[in-house]
Amino acid sequence: MKVYFYHTQDLNYIHREWQAGRFPSHLLYGACELPSEGIDVVMHQHTDPKLPRWRRTLDVARKILTCKEPFDAVYATKHNGLELIILLRAMGLFRKPVIIWHHQPVPRQKNPLKKLLARFFYSGIDHAFMFSDNIVRESIATGIIAPEKLQQCPWGADLDFYDRLMAANPVVHRDFISTGKERRDMPTLLSAFAECPGQRLLVIAPVDCCGVNYEEMFKVERIPENVEILINRTMWIPELAQKIWHYGCICICCEETNYTVGLTTLVEALAFGIPVIISKNPNQPFDASEMRCGISVPYYDKDGWRDAINAMAHDSDLLKSLGNNARQLAVSTYNIRNCAYIVAQRIIGCVAKA
């Protein structure tokens, strides 16, 4: 069996770097591990993300429809750029199953015509993996997609990559770090650390993301003396991982959203066995406090963040326990090999039904 794998990011670069041992595989959502499950993979030749959306969609469709290698299904990390193939599948003109990851709940449609069109579009998706039960529930409630097409899947990190990094870099873990780029609630985070003068925080932030210019924000925000700001212009996951591994606790302070903002940082923390303080987001696959791998704090709760920081800083037994639980959760469930196994079983089922 063989699948055509589509990604909106430069999967060809990531795949080459993974083969060389320089990049974790989880950004390819199990595609690197599928051959171990008996499913070969045709890698999409990356489509320029700077193209207008209609041109990207046409380019993706052209590459899939003219692919010279035979394949049995399409497996994609998003539906963005795959719209034409999905529509052709809905019309019965594309005969191979389409299996995707859906990062947000299926949008509700109040307009009856728009709801009808949405149902038609989603009929072209044979199966959709989602990151949490809450996103599945909200999607089912729309009445747009059949419940049997939806599945929560535990996406997780490439533990082999992180194990090699940890073994090669014995370090002393101390202080707090905040990485990530999407929807970060910097005012709350900075205000909390201003009330914890004995604790140090390194913030690594992009120049801008999702309409927020962090570089400009930090010019006007009051930065506490115990907080260091590093604007990230070049580092991606491998370089950031090298830095994160030196720290004792990871802060994932986010704005309220309808998706799993901060999940990449969270699963990386699990792989490292580093506890987190994280905004309490019902769309995450699990609650850090409930799973005893960190402390979850309500959105915009400065006092809650201050208390969590102090708890992590002054209770070494708590820090160690939470870190051990984090790693156990990664090994048992939230790792890319387990994810790939679940994905493979669903792909095989969809192909058998097609």
Side-chain angles (χ1 to χ4, degrees), residues 308-326:
I309 293 163
N310 284 324
M312 291 290 195
H314 297 121
D315 191 337
S316 58
D317 289 338
L318 174 67
L319 200 69
K320 183 177 180 180
S321 174
L322 295 177
N324 289 338
N325 291 340

Side-chain angles (χ1 to χ4, degrees), residues 28-265:
L28 297 187
Y29 288 71
C32 299
E33 291 75 22
L34 285 179
S36 299
E37 302 296 337
I39 300 177
D40 292 329
V41 179
V42 178
M43 295 286 179
H44 174 76
Q45 293 304 303
H46 184 54
T47 296
D48 186 353
K50 295 180 182 178
L51 291 174
R53 186 167 180 173
W54 67 269
R55 286 189 60 188
R56 291 204 313 271
T57 302
L58 287 176
D59 184 67
V60 171
R62 176 184 63 80
K63 289 174 178 175
I64 291 175
L65 294 174
T66 62
C67 180
K68 294 182 180 180
E69 291 189 62
F71 60 89
D72 302 287
V74 173
Y75 173 51
T77 62
K78 287 184 179 181
H79 68 265
N80 303 54
L82 203 64
E83 291 89 349
L84 184 54
I85 292 296
I86 293 171
L87 287 171
L88 291 173
R89 176 68 174 157
M91 291 186 286
L93 300 177
F94 184 73
R95 306 303 296 272
K96 304 178 191 298
V98 175
I99 299 103
I100 70 165
W101 281 84
H102 205 289
H103 295 243
Q104 298 173 335
V106 172
R108 293 179 180 272
Q109 300 292 344
K110 294 182 180 179
N111 183 293
L113 180 58
K114 288 184 177 180
K115 187 170 185 177
L116 185 64
L117 291 172
R119 280 178 175 168
F120 178 72
F121 177 79
Y122 278 94
S123 72
I125 296 172
D126 292 78
H127 199 74
F129 296 108
M130 293 180 163
F131 292 100
S132 72
D133 290 332
N134 194 61
I135 295 178
V136 170
R137 284 192 295 269
E138 290 195 16
S139 298
I140 291 172
T142 65
I144 287 172
I145 187 168
E148 62 270 18
K149 289 187 174 185
L150 303 180
Q151 180 180 2
Q152 189 272 341
C153 184
W155 181 72
D158 176 357
L159 296 187
D160 293 342
F161 174 85
Y162 291 96
D163 288 347
R164 290 196 303 271
L165 189 156
M166 290 187 287
N169 297 276
V171 297
V172 176
H173 302 280
R174 59 169 63 91
D175 300 333
F176 297 80
I177 188 170
S178 169
T179 62
K181 57 185 181 179
E182 291 184 54
R183 313 290 182 190
R184 291 317 195 252
D185 177 15
M186 293 302 178
T188 298
L189 184 63
L190 297 180
S191 296
F193 269 90
E195 297 187 9
C196 303
Q199 309 310 319
R200 299 196 61 81
L201 169 70
L202 171 64
V203 174
I204 302 178
V207 175
D208 58 70
C209 183
C210 300
V212 176
N213 189 312
Y214 291 103
E215 190 169 33
E216 292 301 317
M217 174 193 292
F218 291 131
K219 289 179 181 179
V220 297
E221 280 282 344
R222 180 183 176 277
I223 310 300
E225 291 183 0
N226 58 330
V227 175
E228 178 187 354
I229 304 296
L230 176 61
I231 296 297
N232 178 16
R233 302 181 191 278
T234 59
M235 293 184 291
W236 202 7
I237 284 182
E239 296 84 4
L240 287 170
Q242 291 277 355
K243 288 188 173 294
I244 290 169
W245 173 229
H246 289 77
Y247 286 80
C249 182
I250 300 175
C251 298
I252 312 173
C253 188
C254 302
E255 299 172 345
E256 187 170 3
T257 64
N258 69 339
Y259 67 103
T260 54
V261 62
L263 180 58
T264 301
T265 307

